[in-house]
Amino acid sequence: MSRRARLLRAIACLALLTMAGITAAAASDSYRLDAMDKLRIRVAEWQSAEGAVRDWATISGDYGVSPSGDVSLPFIGELAVKGKTTVEVAAAIAAGLQQKLGLPDKPEASVEISEFRPLFLAGDVQTPGKYAYAPGLTVLKALSLGGGLRRSDNGGQGGPRDFIMAQGNYDVLVAQRNGLLARRARLAAETEGKDQIDFPEELNKTEQGRKLVSDESALMAARQKRLRLQLGALDDLKKLLQSEIETLDQKMVTQNRQLELSRTELKSLGELAEKGLVVNQRILTLEQTNAEQEGKALDMETASLRAKQDIAKATQDAISLQNDRDTEIAQDRQQTEADLREMDLKMGMYSGLMTEAVARAPDAARNPANGTAPTIRYAIVRTDADGKTGQVSADENTPVLPGDVVKIEIAGPSVTSN
């Protein structure tokens, strides 16, 4: 082979080596190495005197990162790579070889990841365990590596049936609880004298909930109208009785005036009768008239007192009517709160039964007959750059990193107390 040919081959080899390093840098520039990662290392040196590339086959090859985060290399020895990028490791290898062997120039080194450290699946997975990582992996893709959600080993005997029964009872309790929430909101508005009811937001999310809102609003409007009519009737009665009292007072003034005049006349006639100037029959008639006028005056006073008593009774009836309504609302609120607490306990029981049924047969919750999808919770346990381990919530589209532990849990619906 001619010198020119060897030179062109050497340049091509170095170019490939450099491109490999550039590609590794582009793919893993932000990726930090850790235990169980596998690396492919290539080292070459350009020998200008010979015009050829020297391939360091002794060092080039595949290496695994030890649990302590090191890679054992010929000539260099233990090289700490944990927390470093492939670019940083390649630079450390070139610098280490130059220093160890006393080379005038740094050799070209490239480091690429031949196999990422594995991820782990735990929880309600058909086949939990360790799996190879691939770039672009998400929680859903990782779950598919483990065969999907866990399925019962005994054919799900009893699981689907128990789940459907518990789900049916749970749904009934949810409907009853929504009714109690709507009633409690209406009673709170009545207690505070509001014209509008502050319903929980969850009631407006379903057709049944919106119907409950409409029914309770109509009920409160009807109750308020009835109370207004009753109080208005009592108020009208009091006004009527007050008018009657005023009329009687006017009549009593006139009647008392007439009685005073009659008494004055009777006194004058009595003086004349003593002198024998007036007959006794005239005096008797006048006395009879006075007695009738006095009786009418007493009747008027009695009617006035009776009207005043009726006004006091109407006022008391209005107070009693309002107090009875307040007492009824308070008792209804107390009973509603007790019913809600009881409902939460029952819902918690049936939620537990559903969770138990799902634990025995996870595929039971996916039975189309119950009309409800299972509640699946995802979480990722991850170790950060500082070596601290923490757990974060995730969903199906959350990216998974090498070394992550993906936790999957199938559970029954949760009960939220209000």
Side-chain angles (χ1 to χ4, degrees), residues 387-417:
K388 296 181 180 179
T389 301
Q391 178 171 303
V392 294
S393 298
D395 56 35
E396 292 181 346
N397 299 317
T398 301
V400 178
L401 300 179
D404 283 351
V405 178
V406 182
K407 298 172 63 177
I408 298 97
E409 178 187 4
I410 304 176
S414 60
V415 181
T416 304
S417 300

Side-chain angles (χ1 to χ4, degrees), residues 160-187:
R161 182 185 66 253
D162 294 342
F163 185 90
I164 292 172
M165 292 179 61
Q167 178 68 45
N169 290 324
Y170 184 89
D171 290 342
V172 171
L173 293 176
V174 168
Q176 294 176 355
R177 185 174 182 274
N178 287 339
L180 291 173
L181 291 176
R183 182 190 303 174
R184 183 174 68 175
R186 187 254 302 169
L187 292 172

Side-chain angles (χ1 to χ4, degrees), residues 56-251:
W56 292 53
T58 305
I59 296 180
S60 299
D62 293 338
Y63 295 86
V65 181
S66 67
S68 60
D70 300 328
V71 171
S72 181
L73 297 173
F75 305 117
I76 297 177
E78 298 293 332
L79 178 65
V81 299
K82 182 177 181 179
K84 297 181 179 180
T85 65
T86 54
V87 176
E88 293 171 343
V89 174
I93 292 173
L97 288 174
Q98 182 186 27
Q99 181 181 5
K100 186 73 174 180
L101 302 178
L103 302 176
D105 298 317
K106 290 182 181 180
E108 294 291 337
S110 72
V111 178
E112 56 184 350
I113 300 173
S114 61
E115 183 178 328
F116 292 93
R117 57 184 179 271
L119 61 97
F120 301 86
L121 298 179
D124 291 323
V125 186
Q126 182 64 18
T127 310
K130 179 177 69 174
Y131 291 89
Y133 176 81
L137 205 61
T138 62
V139 169
L140 183 59
K141 293 178 180 178
L143 178 60
S144 66
L145 296 177
L149 296 175
R150 180 170 59 86
R151 297 176 289 277
S152 59
D153 297 331
N154 59 355
Q157 294 181 358
R161 182 185 66 253
D162 294 342
F163 185 90
I164 292 172
M165 292 179 61
Q167 178 68 45
N169 290 324
Y170 184 89
D171 290 342
V172 171
L173 293 176
V174 168
Q176 294 176 355
R177 185 174 182 274
N178 287 339
L180 291 173
L181 291 176
R183 182 190 303 174
R184 183 174 68 175
R186 187 254 302 169
L187 292 172
E190 289 181 336
T191 301
E192 299 171 7
K194 294 181 178 180
D195 294 330
Q196 298 293 330
I197 305 175
D198 296 328
F199 289 102
E201 289 296 331
E202 60 190 272
L203 295 180
N204 294 316
K205 296 179 180 179
T206 62
E207 184 64 29
Q208 180 199 39
R210 288 189 288 270
K211 186 178 185 304
L212 289 171
V213 169
S214 176
D215 291 345
E216 291 295 335
S217 298
L219 177 59
M220 188 178 79
R223 285 164 59 90
Q224 289 178 336
K225 181 180 179 181
R226 184 180 65 179
L227 181 63
R228 285 196 302 269
L229 290 175
Q230 291 174 330
L231 293 175
L234 290 173
D235 189 58
D236 291 342
L237 176 60
K238 289 166 61 177
K239 291 179 180 179
L240 180 62
L241 291 171
Q242 186 62 41
S243 297
E244 182 180 351
I245 291 173
E246 293 173 356
T247 301
L248 288 172
D249 289 342
Q250 294 175 359
K251 288 182 178 181

Side-chain angles (χ1 to χ4, degrees), residues 262 266 280 282-292 294:
S262 179
L266 181 60
N280 293 333
R282 170 65 177 159
I283 295 175
L284 182 62
T285 301
L286 189 57
E287 288 179 346
Q288 185 178 1
T289 301
N290 284 344
E292 291 177 354
E294 288 177 354

Side-chain angles (χ1 to χ4, degrees), residues 230-231 233-239 241-242 307-323:
Q230 291 174 330
L231 293 175
L234 290 173
D235 189 58
D236 291 342
L237 176 60
K238 289 166 61 177
K239 291 179 180 179
L241 291 171
Q242 186 62 41
K308 291 177 181 179
Q309 290 177 347
D310 290 341
I311 288 177
K313 185 177 183 301
T315 301
Q316 184 61 42
D317 289 343
I319 295 174
S320 298
L321 184 64
Q322 186 66 55
N323 289 340

